[in-house]
Amino acid sequence: SMASFGSNPAEDQETADWLQLLTPITSIKGCEDEITVQNESGFILVLERGDCSFEQKSKAGENAGASAVIIVNNIESVYAERYYGDDKVDYECENGSDWLDIVKSPPWSDENDTKVCSSDSKCQSEVCMLTNTTYPSLGTKVCCAWDIFLTMGGTSNSSTVTIPSLFMSMKEGKELFGNPDFLKQEVKGKIYLRYEPLINVSSILIWLLGVVTAMTSSHLSTKSNGTNSKRAEEAESDDQTIDLTMAHTLGFILFASTTLIVLFFFDLNKLVTILYCVSAGTATATVLAIPILRYLRFAEGKIVSIFLFGPVLLSDAVAVVVSYSLTVYWLLIRDVSVYDFILQDVFGCCLCVVFLSSLRLPSLKVAAALLSMAFFYDIFWVFISPLLFSDSVMVVVATGGGSTVDPEICEKYPKTDGCIVSSLPMLLKLPRIGGYQQGSVMLGLGDIVLPGLLISFCCRYDQLLRIPSRKGYFLLVSIGYAVGLMLANLAVIVSNLGQPALLYIV
């Protein structure tokens, strides 16, 4: 890990220089005012943690002519002048434990270590640490010491360190100090930033998924295949579709704003997720499961009677059961599986189709009003709300607000309550591909269905006037949506902050 002070290493491996790894001729801790090193400049100084601050060590290394400093963790610093460590904080017995008949002094002596910790694959440090558990018949218990990466912070707001400073784990330091060539000061190394692509492949894929979903959902929502104006007029009069009015658009914005405020102050994530599963199950059955089973002629024409529902097609009943089973399965794996995004994206796409099939814009006047209000709605709750609520309401609600637990605890015990933060499920997401950063790229369903209402309106208009697809408004508006969504993704990459997509789309 890299210190919060000092400069960054080279951008990549090609631009980094090979430098000799050296230790001080004096103390390995490097806390003296002046450090004596074999070379005068152009080397990487390797020091051990302890006795003084990280910043002091790095500054001393810079004064000695080092181009970078590596500070190696050690068990002595974990003890921090104590006789034993604290359970869960300094060690974990489930990762390896043993008993000592005799405890040597000091506590961090190598003689207090056992082969159990170095041989247990779960013990990352490969070092045992004394505990406060002692029995006359067994001795003193030792357990595997934690060896996590630390972010080395500075002791002042205006650090004068200008070279990179890095932290190395005990295990890595043990391997380095055990290298015969390093002892002879014949080891060279490079320090550079880990590769992270400027534009992640996932950002392109989520953009493509959003565009395809918006276009496909809008086209399917027209319920007409194109050239027959009479069929198009019949579709327009479908009683199952709601024509949005000005009152609807205003009510939608007020309802969405109220919901955001409630979710910001109250943790209703589980309730919202359950409601999402109910709607996702219905949408998946309507859009995918029922059409697929009918296409396969599964139990064709067979009718069964179901309590409270009466007679229904067997294929439809099976489709509903399968769809809701998938939502329950997704609910169980969403926080433990890396592939939960597949089902979540399927559910999201189906919801978009159902939403655009149920609601439609009757005129461009209503479309302009809805998208204009949504435009200011996004800007207010992303950029202006921090002035009133200390945080961006939209970002906090969408991402779950982040963990409230100490990051070190979450690194040691990632399944601890509060470490797993689940975002609201009303979005499409894809895991990051390539690079070292984990996480996901996301696209809210609202950024698909709201512009999708206008795309659907243009598609119906083209069909009603028999305008060819390549020359109609449907294609032009779809291209505009694709460009706007692309600009929103680029803004996220450049600013490294969440952006209101409708700001760029509208």
Side-chain angles (χ1 to χ4, degrees):
S1 59
M2 194 165 58
S4 61
F5 53 83
S7 61
N8 289 331
E11 291 291 334
D12 51 56
Q13 185 175 357
E14 287 70 24
T15 58
D17 296 325
W18 285 103
L19 300 173
Q20 190 175 8
L21 272 66
L22 301 177
T23 56
I25 296 176
T26 51
S27 170
I28 189 68
K29 296 294 180 64
C31 292
E32 297 85 357
D33 294 334
E34 293 185 6
I35 296 178
T36 305
V37 187
Q38 181 178 346
N39 287 16
E40 294 183 358
S41 62
F43 59 90
I44 300 173
L45 184 64
V46 181
L47 302 173
E48 279 194 352
R49 179 187 177 190
D51 292 349
C52 60
S53 69
F54 295 126
E55 187 176 1
Q56 184 177 342
K57 293 174 184 288
S58 300
K59 188 60 181 178
E62 182 179 2
N63 292 337
S67 299
V69 172
I70 295 177
I71 300 176
V72 182
N73 196 15
N74 55 38
I75 190 63
E76 178 183 353
S77 298
V78 178
Y79 275 101
E81 300 182 354
R82 297 170 299 168
Y83 191 77
Y84 52 84
D86 294 329
D87 187 23
K88 307 300 181 184
V89 176
D90 300 311
Y91 61 81
E92 175 52 66
C93 293
E94 291 186 3
N95 293 343
S97 63
D98 203 357
W99 296 89
L100 291 178
D101 295 330
I102 301 175
V103 176
K104 299 294 183 179
S105 183
W108 51 86
S109 170
D110 291 341
E111 297 183 57
N112 291 332
D113 199 4
T114 70
K115 293 183 179 180
V116 171
C117 291
S118 60
S119 61
D120 196 319
S121 60
K122 293 184 295 184
C123 185
Q124 296 180 351
S125 66
E126 299 183 352
V127 177
C128 284
M129 187 174 191
L130 293 175
T131 71
N132 194 30
T133 303
T134 302
Y135 292 103
S137 59
L138 297 174
T140 300
K141 190 175 185 179
V142 292
C143 295
C144 172
W146 282 112
D147 187 22
I148 63 175
F149 286 101
L150 302 178
T151 299
M152 300 185 293
T155 57
S156 62
N157 294 329
S158 56
S159 175
T160 58
V161 178
T162 60
I163 61 173
S165 301
L166 292 88
F167 185 83
M168 180 179 285
S169 67
M170 281 188 276
K171 181 179 180 180
E172 294 170 337
K174 185 177 180 180
E175 294 175 355
L176 179 61
F177 289 127
N179 188 331
D181 292 332
F182 176 74
L183 300 177
K184 299 176 185 178
Q185 298 189 345
E186 296 177 354
V187 173
K188 290 186 177 182
K190 288 184 174 184
I191 294 181
Y192 53 90
L193 295 173
R194 287 179 288 184
Y195 172 73
E196 182 64 30
L198 178 61
I199 300 179
N200 196 283
V201 176
S202 299
S203 298
I204 299 175
L205 294 178
I206 199 73
W207 167 80
L208 183 62
L209 180 60
V211 173
V212 171
T213 300
M215 294 182 65
T216 304
S217 300
S218 300
H219 184 74
L220 292 176
S221 70
T222 61
K223 302 179 182 180
S224 173
N225 292 324
T227 58
N228 192 320
S229 60
K230 183 177 180 180
R231 291 172 58 192
E233 291 173 357
E234 292 175 353
E236 291 288 329
S237 61
D238 192 345
D239 293 334
Q240 295 181 352
T241 304
I242 300 175
D243 285 329
L244 296 177
T245 64
M246 287 293 186
H248 287 139
T249 59
L250 180 60
F252 168 77
I253 297 299
L254 293 176
F255 175 78
S257 298
T258 303
T259 302
L260 273 181
I261 295 175
V262 171
L263 293 177
F264 179 77
F265 286 106
F266 302 98
D267 185 9
L268 301 178
N269 191 296
K270 292 182 179 179
L271 175 61
V272 173
T273 301
I274 292 174
L275 294 176
Y276 170 83
C277 287
V278 173
S279 58
T282 302
T284 304
T286 303
V287 177
L288 285 181
I290 291 177
I292 289 175
L293 291 183
R294 289 182 179 179
Y295 176 80
L296 297 176
R297 296 184 177 180
F298 174 81
E300 187 174 18
K302 188 172 183 180
I303 298 177
V304 294
S305 181
I306 300 179
F307 179 66
L308 295 179
F309 294 96
V312 296
L313 289 172
L314 177 59
S315 60
D316 291 357
V318 171
V320 171
V321 171
V322 170
S323 298
Y324 276 100
S325 298
L326 288 176
T327 61
V328 173
Y329 175 71
W330 171 80
L331 188 62
L332 295 175
I333 69 166
R334 67 178 304 221
D335 291 328
V336 296
S337 174
V338 296
Y339 300 106
D340 67 299
F341 72 93
I342 298 176
L343 282 176
Q344 182 168 333
D345 290 348
V346 170
F347 297 155
C349 293
C350 291
L351 283 168
C352 289
V353 173
V354 171
F355 184 91
L356 294 178
S357 298
S358 303
L359 302 175
R360 66 187 178 192
L361 296 170
S363 66
L364 285 177
K365 181 179 179 180
V366 177
L370 174 63
L371 293 177
S372 297
M373 285 189 283
F375 172 81
F376 290 107
Y377 162 88
D378 252 16
I379 293 176
F380 178 84
W381 291 114
V382 173
F383 293 129
I384 301 178
S385 62
L387 302 176
L388 304 175
F389 300 93
S390 73
D391 284 307
S392 173
V393 174
M394 181 78 77
V395 173
V396 171
V397 171
T399 62
S403 174
T404 57
V405 182
D406 188 333
E408 288 190 14
I409 295 178
C410 292
E411 184 174 352
K412 298 170 184 175
Y413 305 99
K415 294 184 180 180
T416 301
D417 290 341
C419 290
I420 299 177
V421 179
S422 300
S423 60
L424 290 179
M426 291 81 75
L427 46 81
L428 305 181
K429 73 173 185 176
L430 292 174
R432 294 183 182 275
I433 301 174
Y436 73 94
Q437 292 186 358
Q438 298 180 345
S440 304
V441 293
M442 305 176 184
L443 177 62
L445 297 186
D447 298 326
I448 297 176
V449 296
L450 291 181
L453 288 169
L454 179 60
I455 299 175
S456 175
F457 174 85
C458 293
C459 187
R460 296 199 317 274
Y461 182 83
D462 290 345
Q463 290 183 355
L464 185 63
L465 298 183
R466 300 182 182 181
I467 301 175
S469 300
R470 295 181 180 180
K471 299 180 180 180
Y473 292 102
F474 171 74
L475 181 60
L476 290 176
V477 175
S478 297
I479 292 174
Y481 172 73
V483 172
L485 189 59
M486 182 185 297
L487 292 175
N489 284 340
L490 290 176
V492 171
I493 294 171
V494 172
S495 66
N496 200 28
L497 296 171
Q499 297 287 326
L502 292 179
L503 170 64
Y504 304 89
I505 295 171
V506 176

